[in-house]
Amino acid sequence: MKPIPVLLSATCLFLLFAGCSKNEESGRHILKKGLRGKILYSSCATTAVQVLNKDIGTDWTSCQDRKVYEHVIDAIIVNRNGIASQVEFNFNIVEDEQNFRCDMVDCNPPTLATIVITGD
């Protein structure tokens, strides 16, 4: 076998595998991995998720019970799949996604993030 075709084939394979990113989730670039959280409140205007294992998010006062919670984000959940409030789940924060939200006045947490649920 001639060395030129072997070298070209090896180069093509290297470029193909080098282009595959291991830091993507559902085709979105992962910004933070390995987070655990739970939904505190959900409406058409907001989904307040408390981050349980990292200092991400801000303090947030619930409009319903007036309790103050720490480390809360306003989450756009790409794959919620029926997860109920107060149920803990694992997730990653990914690049922002454009998403329609209703025009309702609500007590949104100030930190907005797009998340992908990765397990229970």
Side-chain angles (χ1 to χ4, degrees), residues 26-63:
S26 302
R28 295 169 187 86
H29 182 70
I30 298 173
L31 303 176
K32 296 209 184 291
K33 284 180 123 176
L35 302 173
R36 187 139 182 93
K38 65 180 176 181
I39 298 171
L40 298 174
Y41 169 77
S42 186
S43 73
C44 70
T46 190
T47 302
V49 173
Q50 184 176 33
V51 182
L52 301 172
N53 64 338
K54 300 277 184 186
D55 292 340
I56 296 173
T58 56
D59 291 349
W60 174 73
T61 303
S62 170
C63 293

Coordinates of all heavy atoms in Angstrom, one line a residue, residues 26-63:
S26 N -27.8 17.4 23.6 CA -28.9 17.6 22.7 C -28.5 18.7 21.6 O -29.3 19.5 21.3 CB -30.1 18.1 23.4 OG -30.5 17.1 24.4
G27 N -27.2 18.7 21.2 CA -26.8 19.6 20.2 C -26.5 21.0 20.7 O -26.2 21.9 19.9
R28 N -26.5 21.2 22.0 CA -26.2 22.5 22.6 C -24.9 22.4 23.4 O -24.7 21.5 24.1 CB -27.4 22.9 23.5 CG -28.6 23.2 22.8 CD -29.8 23.3 23.8 NE -31.1 23.4 23.1 CZ -31.8 22.3 22.7 NH1 -31.3 21.1 23.0 NH2 -32.9 22.4 22.1
H29 N -24.1 23.5 23.3 CA -22.9 23.6 24.1 C -23.2 23.6 25.6 O -24.0 24.4 26.0 CB -22.1 24.8 23.6 CG -20.8 24.9 24.3 ND1 -19.7 24.0 24.0 CD2 -20.3 25.7 25.3 CE1 -18.7 24.4 24.8 NE2 -19.0 25.4 25.5
I30 N -22.5 22.8 26.4 CA -22.7 22.7 27.8 C -21.9 23.8 28.5 O -20.7 23.9 28.3 CB -22.4 21.3 28.4 CG1 -23.3 20.3 27.8 CG2 -22.5 21.3 29.9 CD1 -22.9 18.9 28.2
L31 N -22.5 24.6 29.3 CA -21.8 25.7 30.1 C -21.5 25.2 31.5 O -20.4 25.6 32.0 CB -22.7 26.9 30.1 CG -23.1 27.5 28.8 CD1 -24.1 28.7 29.0 CD2 -21.9 27.9 27.9
K32 N -22.4 24.5 32.1 CA -22.1 23.9 33.5 C -22.7 22.5 33.6 O -23.8 22.3 33.2 CB -22.7 24.8 34.6 CG -22.1 26.2 34.6 CD -22.2 26.8 36.0 CE -21.7 28.2 36.1 NZ -20.3 28.4 35.8
K33 N -21.9 21.6 34.1 CA -22.3 20.2 34.1 C -22.5 19.7 35.6 O -22.0 20.3 36.5 CB -21.2 19.3 33.5 CG -21.1 19.3 32.1 CD -20.0 18.3 31.7 CE -20.5 17.3 30.8 NZ -19.5 16.4 30.2
G34 N -23.3 18.6 35.7 CA -23.4 17.9 37.0 C -24.1 18.7 38.1 O -23.8 18.6 39.3
L35 N -25.2 19.4 37.7 CA -25.9 20.2 38.7 C -27.1 19.3 39.2 O -27.6 18.4 38.5 CB -26.4 21.5 38.1 CG -25.3 22.4 37.6 CD1 -25.9 23.6 36.9 CD2 -24.4 22.8 38.8
R36 N -27.6 19.6 40.4 CA -28.8 18.9 40.9 C -29.7 20.1 41.4 O -29.3 21.1 42.0 CB -28.4 18.1 42.1 CG -29.5 17.2 42.6 CD -29.1 15.8 43.0 NE -30.2 15.0 43.4 CZ -30.9 14.3 42.6 NH1 -30.6 14.2 41.4 NH2 -31.9 13.5 43.1
G37 N -31.0 19.9 41.1 CA -32.0 20.9 41.5 C -33.4 20.4 41.6 O -33.6 19.2 41.5
K38 N -34.3 21.3 41.9 CA -35.7 21.0 42.0 C -36.5 22.2 41.6 O -36.0 23.3 41.8 CB -36.1 20.5 43.4 CG -36.0 21.5 44.5 CD -36.4 20.9 45.8 CE -36.2 21.9 46.9 NZ -36.6 21.4 48.2
I39 N -37.6 22.0 41.0 CA -38.5 23.0 40.6 C -39.3 23.5 41.8 O -40.0 22.7 42.5 CB -39.5 22.6 39.5 CG1 -38.7 22.1 38.3 CG2 -40.5 23.7 39.2 CD1 -39.6 21.4 37.2
L40 N -39.2 24.8 42.1 CA -39.9 25.4 43.2 C -41.3 25.9 42.8 O -42.2 25.9 43.6 CB -39.1 26.6 43.9 CG -37.7 26.2 44.4 CD1 -37.0 27.5 44.9 CD2 -37.9 25.3 45.6
Y41 N -41.3 26.5 41.6 CA -42.5 27.1 41.1 C -42.5 27.1 39.6 O -41.4 27.3 39.0 CB -42.6 28.6 41.6 CG -43.6 29.4 41.0 CD1 -45.0 29.3 41.3 CD2 -43.3 30.4 40.0 CE1 -45.9 30.1 40.7 CE2 -44.3 31.1 39.4 CZ -45.6 31.0 39.8 OH -46.6 31.8 39.2
S42 N -43.7 27.0 39.0 CA -43.7 26.9 37.5 C -45.0 27.6 37.0 O -46.1 27.4 37.6 CB -43.7 25.5 37.0 OG -43.6 25.5 35.6
S43 N -44.9 28.5 36.0 CA -46.1 29.1 35.4 C -45.7 29.2 33.9 O -44.6 28.8 33.5 CB -46.4 30.4 36.0 OG -45.4 31.4 35.6
C44 N -46.6 29.8 33.1 CA -46.2 30.0 31.7 C -45.1 31.1 31.5 O -44.4 31.1 30.5 CB -47.4 30.4 30.9 SG -48.1 32.0 31.2
A45 N -44.9 31.9 32.6 CA -43.9 33.0 32.5 C -42.5 32.6 33.1 O -41.5 33.2 32.8 CB -44.4 34.2 33.2
T46 N -42.5 31.6 34.0 CA -41.3 31.3 34.7 C -41.3 29.9 35.2 O -42.3 29.3 35.5 CB -41.1 32.3 35.9 OG1 -39.7 32.1 36.4 CG2 -42.0 32.1 37.0
T47 N -40.1 29.3 35.4 CA -39.9 28.1 36.1 C -38.7 28.3 37.0 O -37.6 28.4 36.6 CB -39.6 26.9 35.1 OG1 -40.7 26.8 34.2 CG2 -39.4 25.6 35.9
A48 N -39.0 28.4 38.3 CA -38.0 28.7 39.3 C -37.4 27.4 39.7 O -38.1 26.5 40.3 CB -38.6 29.4 40.5
V49 N -36.1 27.2 39.5 CA -35.4 26.0 39.8 C -34.3 26.3 40.9 O -33.5 27.2 40.7 CB -34.7 25.3 38.6 CG1 -33.8 24.2 39.0 CG2 -35.8 24.9 37.6
Q50 N -34.3 25.6 42.0 CA -33.3 25.8 43.0 C -32.2 24.9 42.7 O -32.4 23.7 42.6 CB -33.9 25.5 44.4 CG -32.9 25.8 45.5 CD -33.5 25.7 46.9 OE1 -34.4 24.8 47.1 NE2 -33.1 26.5 47.8
V51 N -31.0 25.4 42.6 CA -29.7 24.6 42.4 C -29.3 24.1 43.8 O -29.0 24.9 44.7 CB -28.6 25.4 41.7 CG1 -27.4 24.6 41.5 CG2 -29.2 26.0 40.4
L52 N -29.2 22.8 44.0 CA -28.9 22.3 45.3 C -27.5 22.0 45.6 O -27.1 21.9 46.8 CB -29.7 21.0 45.5 CG -31.3 21.1 45.3 CD1 -31.9 19.8 45.3 CD2 -31.8 22.0 46.4
N53 N -26.6 21.8 44.6 CA -25.3 21.4 44.8 C -24.2 22.4 44.4 O -23.0 22.1 44.5 CB -25.0 20.0 44.2 CG -25.1 20.1 42.7 OD1 -25.7 21.0 42.1 ND2 -24.5 19.1 42.0
K54 N -24.5 23.6 44.0 CA -23.6 24.6 43.6 C -24.1 26.0 43.9 O -25.3 26.2 44.0 CB -23.3 24.6 42.1 CG -22.7 23.3 41.5 CD -21.3 23.2 41.7 CE -20.8 21.9 41.1 NZ -19.5 21.6 41.3
D55 N -23.2 26.9 44.1 CA -23.6 28.3 44.3 C -23.9 29.1 43.0 O -23.2 30.0 42.6 CB -22.5 29.1 45.1 CG -22.4 28.5 46.5 OD1 -23.3 27.9 47.0 OD2 -21.3 28.7 47.1
I56 N -25.0 28.6 42.4 CA -25.4 29.3 41.1 C -26.8 29.8 41.4 O -27.6 29.3 42.0 CB -25.4 28.2 40.0 CG1 -24.0 27.7 39.8 CG2 -26.0 28.8 38.7 CD1 -24.0 26.5 38.8
G57 N -27.0 31.0 40.8 CA -28.3 31.6 40.9 C -28.3 32.7 42.0 O -27.3 33.1 42.5
T58 N -29.5 33.2 42.3 CA -29.6 34.3 43.3 C -30.7 33.9 44.3 O -31.4 33.0 44.2 CB -30.0 35.6 42.6 OG1 -31.2 35.3 41.8 CG2 -29.0 36.0 41.6
D59 N -30.8 34.7 45.4 CA -31.8 34.6 46.3 C -33.1 35.0 45.6 O -33.1 35.9 44.8 CB -31.6 35.5 47.5 CG -30.4 35.1 48.4 OD1 -30.0 33.9 48.2 OD2 -30.0 35.8 49.3
W60 N -34.2 34.4 46.0 CA -35.5 34.6 45.3 C -36.6 34.5 46.3 O -36.6 33.5 47.1 CB -35.7 33.6 44.2 CG -37.0 33.6 43.5 CD1 -37.5 34.6 42.6 CD2 -38.0 32.6 43.6 NE1 -38.7 34.3 42.2 CE2 -39.1 33.1 42.8 CE3 -38.2 31.4 44.3 CZ2 -40.3 32.3 42.6 CZ3 -39.3 30.7 44.1 CH2 -40.4 31.2 43.3
T61 N -37.6 35.4 46.3 CA -38.7 35.3 47.2 C -39.9 34.9 46.4 O -40.3 35.5 45.4 CB -39.0 36.7 47.8 OG1 -37.9 37.2 48.5 CG2 -40.2 36.7 48.7
S62 N -40.5 33.8 46.8 CA -41.7 33.2 46.1 C -42.9 34.1 46.3 O -43.2 34.6 47.4 CB -42.0 31.8 46.7 OG -43.3 31.4 46.2
C63 N -43.6 34.4 45.2 CA -44.9 35.2 45.3 C -46.0 34.4 46.0 O -46.9 35.0 46.5 CB -45.3 35.6 43.9 SG -44.2 36.7 43.1

